[in-house]
Amino acid sequence: MANSYSSKPYSPDAPACAESLVHLDNVRQVQPEVLSTEKAQRMAEFFSALSDPHRLKLLSALAQQELCVCDLAAAVKMGESAVSHQLRVLRSQRLVKYRRQGRNVYYSLADGHIAALYREVAEHLEES
């Protein structure tokens, strides 16, 4: 069942429906799965943490193996304080975790989901 309503397209060159028609069956099917505003906000913050090239370089190194801050800084050619700052952002979104061993702090990806997400995006970009 469909209901008609009138609406103007956002942009004249953007693809749009030829006829403004709401397919209620389709809407009802997807609506329960649409993100809540709160969850959408949390996801936006998560992806925002991934939107920085320096943080992505750190993740690319950590996707290979666990590294201490000194080794990470050398691997991505950044200062240790800059690396520490970026790692704080990544930790706040639970993208990386750390462990102490003596006076050194070693970082790794937080879990398999983060490693899989990183690999999937990298593979997707290679296909383009």
Side-chain angles (χ1 to χ4, degrees):
M1 176 184 299
N3 283 353
S4 294
Y5 67 93
S6 175
S7 68
K8 294 181 181 178
Y10 291 105
S11 169
D13 60 342
C17 296
E19 183 180 337
S20 293
L21 189 66
V22 174
H23 300 90
L24 288 178
D25 290 342
N26 292 345
V27 172
R28 286 186 185 117
Q29 186 176 1
V30 300
Q31 213 163 26
E33 301 301 321
V34 172
L35 294 175
S36 68
T37 302
E38 178 185 333
K39 188 167 186 178
Q41 179 63 40
R42 287 180 29 225
M43 288 180 77
E45 290 167 2
F46 177 90
F47 283 112
S48 177
L50 294 172
S51 69
D52 182 277
H54 299 294
R55 291 191 286 265
L56 289 172
K57 288 176 73 171
L58 292 170
L59 289 178
S60 71
L62 294 173
Q64 306 306 309
Q65 68 180 53
E66 177 185 69
L67 294 165
C68 70
V69 174
C70 302
D71 292 343
L72 268 171
V76 299
K77 298 182 175 127
M78 291 172 59
E80 286 182 37
S81 64
V83 166
S84 292
H85 171 74
Q86 298 300 344
L87 288 169
R88 275 193 293 279
V89 174
L90 294 171
R91 260 193 355 250
S92 75
Q93 292 299 318
R94 299 182 356 214
L95 292 162
V96 298
K97 63 183 178 183
Y98 69 95
R99 68 175 179 85
R100 293 187 186 278
Q101 183 174 335
R103 296 177 65 176
N104 288 333
V105 177
Y106 290 86
Y107 282 86
S108 60
L109 296 183
D111 58 38
H113 295 109
I114 305 306
L117 179 64
Y118 173 81
R119 281 192 305 273
E120 289 292 326
V121 172
E123 288 174 18
H124 173 73
L125 293 175
E126 287 175 9
E127 293 173 0
S128 299

